[in-house]
């Protein structure tokens, strides 16, 4: 270090009087060596800016660590692997790093270093997959809590029930359900309820295409035997369904007429669901709009 640079360090430290502590160090490496002067006020301003940025970043990280971002989507009725849907899911995963994402009928998704998956396959084209953020959550590995991969009807209506715990020890333990219910009256809810075990101290996350026209989130929670209050996360905008492929050609919004996609959780909050309007192109017959919500814990 030159004599001038050392003088700058000493000057700034004297002015700062230790108020910025170790945060000051990155700002102390510069001085106006060409003019042979030391602008300690400039150094202090740089240091203060860096401190503020670091604190803001820490606050954002701290806030996000106390929130849960959840998504649900039914891609429609594929007859093969749909590359545009796979690419679309990857885009959603990279936009905000969701914690849990239930995707119905997605064929060919592979786990990554960032995201794991649990899939229930009833037939080649009738499946549901819970995708989870491995940076924040891990599957419980006790034998009694291995994920259940269910078909709620005979070789149809897939569901996953899995228990997760936070990777860092902070946050709640969760029972996460991903499901695709049959259209119309069925025994799907009763079948799922019989397999849904919620240990004491666990919160519930339910992500599903319920195919329900009238049942409220509270109604589903009651039917499934989920105890206690649930977050107010209503789906207030229709999500189903894309019907006519010529809409793509004429750039007309897809026809939607009811709200079967639901996110229900015992974590508390009062946040209406966000319905994602943009769909992959070309859109598939029967494709839903994805839904998303962020809740606190």
């Amino acid at each position: 270090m030159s004599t001038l640079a050392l003088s700058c360090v000493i000057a700034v430290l004297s002015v700062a009087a230790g108020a910025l502590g170790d945060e000051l160090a990155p700002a102390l490496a510069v001085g106006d060596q060409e003019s042979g002067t030391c602008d300690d006020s400039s150094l202090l301003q740089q240091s203060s800016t860096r401190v503020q940025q670091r604190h803001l970043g820490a606050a954002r990280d701290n806030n996000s660590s106390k929130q849960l971002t959840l998504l649900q989507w039914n891609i429609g009725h594929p007859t093969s692997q749909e590359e545009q849907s796979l690419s679309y899911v990857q885009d959603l995963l990279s936009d905000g790093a969701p914690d849990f994402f239930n995707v119905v009928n997605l064929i060919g998704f592979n786990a990554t270093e960032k995201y794991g998956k649990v899939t229930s396959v009833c037939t080649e084209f009738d499946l549901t997959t819970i995708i989870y953020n491995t940076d924040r959550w891990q599957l419980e590995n006790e034998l009694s809590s291995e994920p259940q991969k269910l078909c709620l009807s005979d070789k149809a209506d897939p569901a996953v029930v899995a228990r997760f715990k936070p990777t860092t020890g902070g946050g709640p333990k969760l029972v996460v359900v991903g499901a695709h219910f049959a259209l119309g009256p069925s025994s799907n809810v009763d079948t799922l309820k019989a397999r849904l075990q919620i240990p004491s101290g666990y919160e519930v996350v339910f992500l599903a295409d319920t195919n329900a026209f009238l049942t409220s989130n509270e109604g589903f929670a009651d039917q499934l035997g989920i105890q206690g209050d649930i977050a107010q996360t209503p789906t207030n905008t229709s999500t189903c369904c894309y019907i006519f492929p010529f809409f793509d050609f004429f750039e007309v919004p897809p026809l939607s007429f009811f709200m079967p996609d639901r996110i229900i959780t015992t974590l508390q909050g009062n946040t209406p669901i966000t319905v994602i309007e943009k769909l992959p192109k070309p859109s598939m017959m029967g494709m839903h709009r994805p839904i998303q919500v962020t809740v606190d814990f």
Side-chain angles (χ1 to χ4, degrees), residues 110-228:
N110 295 316
T112 66
E113 183 178 353
K114 172 79 172 179
Y115 286 99
K117 69 169 186 173
V118 184
T119 301
S120 175
V121 180
C122 295
T123 70
E124 183 181 1
F125 306 118
D126 187 15
L127 62 155
T128 199
T129 300
I130 292 177
I131 302 170
Y132 62 96
N133 187 331
T134 57
D135 285 346
R136 299 188 64 187
W137 305 96
Q138 59 183 331
L139 284 164
E140 289 195 347
N141 55 13
E142 292 84 355
L143 184 62
S144 61
S145 61
E146 288 185 353
Q148 300 182 69
K149 303 173 184 180
L150 312 172
C151 294
L152 301 176
S153 303
D154 183 24
K155 297 182 180 179
D157 311 326
V160 171
V161 180
R163 297 183 198 172
F164 291 87
K165 59 185 179 181
T167 56
T168 60
K173 289 186 176 182
L174 301 171
V175 176
V176 181
V177 180
H180 182 203
F181 289 176
L183 182 64
S186 74
S187 60
N188 284 173
V189 173
D190 292 337
T191 303
L192 181 57
K193 179 181 179 180
R195 303 292 294 272
L196 183 59
Q197 298 180 0
I198 306 170
S200 177
Y202 282 69
E203 302 289 351
V204 178
V205 170
F206 175 85
L207 312 168
D209 171 8
T210 65
N211 268 314
F213 283 87
L214 299 175
T215 307
S216 67
N217 286 359
E218 289 79 6
F220 271 115
D222 183 61
Q223 291 175 24
L224 289 168
I226 297 173
Q227 302 295 317

Side-chain angles (χ1 to χ4, degrees), residues 7-23:
S7 299
C8 289
V9 171
I10 294 172
V12 175
L13 284 175
S14 298
V15 176
L20 298 178
D22 292 339
E23 303 285 358

Side-chain angles (χ1 to χ4, degrees), residues 248-271:
D248 275 339
F249 179 80
F250 292 104
E251 297 186 353
V252 176
L255 176 65
S256 293
F257 54 89
F258 78 121
M259 299 166 283
D261 296 281
R262 307 295 180 87
I263 297 176
I264 302 171
T265 178
T266 56
L267 295 166
Q268 295 307 295
N270 185 2
T271 307

Side-chain angles (χ1 to χ4, degrees), residues 240-247 253-257 283-287:
C240 178
C241 299
Y242 181 90
I243 302 297
F244 301 113
F246 66 76
F247 282 168
L255 176 65
S256 293
F257 54 89
S283 301
M284 187 188 312
M285 182 79 75
M287 182 174 284

